[in-house]
Amino acid sequence: MYSTPTWSVRGLVAIMVVVACGGIAGADSITASYTYQTQPLNSPQPVNFNALFGLHNNTSTIAFLGTRQDQPAGPGVDIFVPPSFMAYCVELGEPLNVPATHTHPNVFPLLGSTTQAGGLSGPVFFDATRTTNMERLWTNFSYLVQLAPSLSPAFQLAVWEVAFDDDMTLQPQLGGRFWVDVGQMQPGTTDIAEQWLSDIRNGAATAQSSLFLLSRNGSQDLITTPEPSVVSMLGLSVVVLFRRRLR
């Protein structure tokens, strides 16, 4: 069972998280060129799960890396998402072909936003609870994916659990909408995602910063952060602290 080092999450995240962009509103567009995450994980990896809206086997998961094609921004163009950003899917059954350039005409703060048609999963509404859980997942654990890209499938699995379900666990639950059966468990993926969800559910991971929803009808909706400094600062601090401990 994977356990997140105490010093890398609870201490550094709590100290360095920046809660910002509160109250930002708007529906500006964003145009970016998307690729998969770079080596050593440069292609989608499959995960298995069950959902009330359909059974999925070997569904691909990957972090998308976006490079803005619309900066400097003009009227009606989002100014908060940075020139380069990491993003994850919040729908199932909607495409996002890569490498390619895509325009999402709506960029919303996550709180109070709704995905478009939603594909197989249907529209997802980010109320206060779902938004809090998603922002805590991203703030406390997304930097680990940057340090170890092989964790990307675990992070995507946790994102889907937060988006589609209310119980914050991948274990089969009565009334749950998204779960992983025992026979579908993938060591190093499912167990890590479950550990992160447990940390949020049990109050061990409480740091939180804002997220945005990139929305487009007929295409995959994505979540990302308008504050890359949070993730980069955390990652740098973990590396520095780790090196100090080695000494």
Side-chain angles (χ1 to χ4, degrees), residues 125-229:
F125 174 64
F126 287 95
D127 58 12
T129 298
R130 182 162 280 111
T131 299
T132 293
N133 289 335
M134 190 71 78
E135 291 180 345
R136 288 179 178 176
L137 174 67
W138 190 286
T139 305
N140 289 276
F141 304 114
S142 67
Y143 78 94
L144 294 172
V145 180
Q146 290 195 347
L147 296 174
S150 61
L151 296 177
S152 185
F155 194 82
Q156 179 65 81
L157 198 59
V159 166
W160 283 335
E161 168 62 32
V162 174
F164 304 144
D165 213 342
D166 298 321
D167 55 20
M168 289 296 289
T169 178
L170 294 171
Q171 299 177 14
Q173 299 289 318
L174 183 64
R177 299 184 70 244
F178 189 89
W179 70 95
V180 178
D181 286 325
V182 174
Q184 297 174 307
M185 292 286 290
Q186 295 171 262
T189 296
T190 312
D191 55 343
I192 294 175
E194 182 65 20
Q195 180 62 58
W196 293 341
L197 293 166
S198 176
D199 285 349
I200 298 170
R201 187 176 67 247
N202 297 329
T206 58
Q208 184 177 344
S209 59
S210 300
L211 292 176
F212 276 7
L213 176 71
L214 313 184
S215 179
R216 175 185 175 186
N217 192 23
S219 180
Q220 178 63 237
D221 285 8
L222 305 172
I223 56 168
T224 191
T225 175
E227 303 171 67
S229 58

Side-chain angles (χ1 to χ4, degrees), residues 30-36 64-69 85 95-104 216 219 222:
I30 181 172
T31 299
S33 174
Y34 291 94
T35 61
Y36 293 137
F64 294 104
L65 300 180
T67 302
R68 297 285 298 263
Q69 304 295 306
F85 59 94
L96 186 73
N97 298 323
V98 293
T101 298
H102 297 275
T103 296
H104 287 83
R216 175 185 175 186
S219 180
L222 305 172

Side-chain angles (χ1 to χ4, degrees), residues 9-69:
V9 174
R10 299 178 189 175
L12 288 173
V13 175
I15 292 172
M16 304 189 67
V17 65
V18 178
V19 179
C21 296
I24 293 175
D28 293 334
S29 68
I30 181 172
T31 299
S33 174
Y34 291 94
T35 61
Y36 293 137
Q37 196 171 23
T38 55
Q39 294 285 356
L41 184 68
N42 62 353
S43 62
Q45 303 295 303
V47 293
N48 299 322
F49 55 86
N50 296 287
L52 286 185
F53 41 84
L55 175 65
H56 301 268
N57 292 309
N58 296 320
T59 301
S60 297
T61 63
I62 196 69
F64 294 104
L65 300 180
T67 302
R68 297 285 298 263
Q69 304 295 306

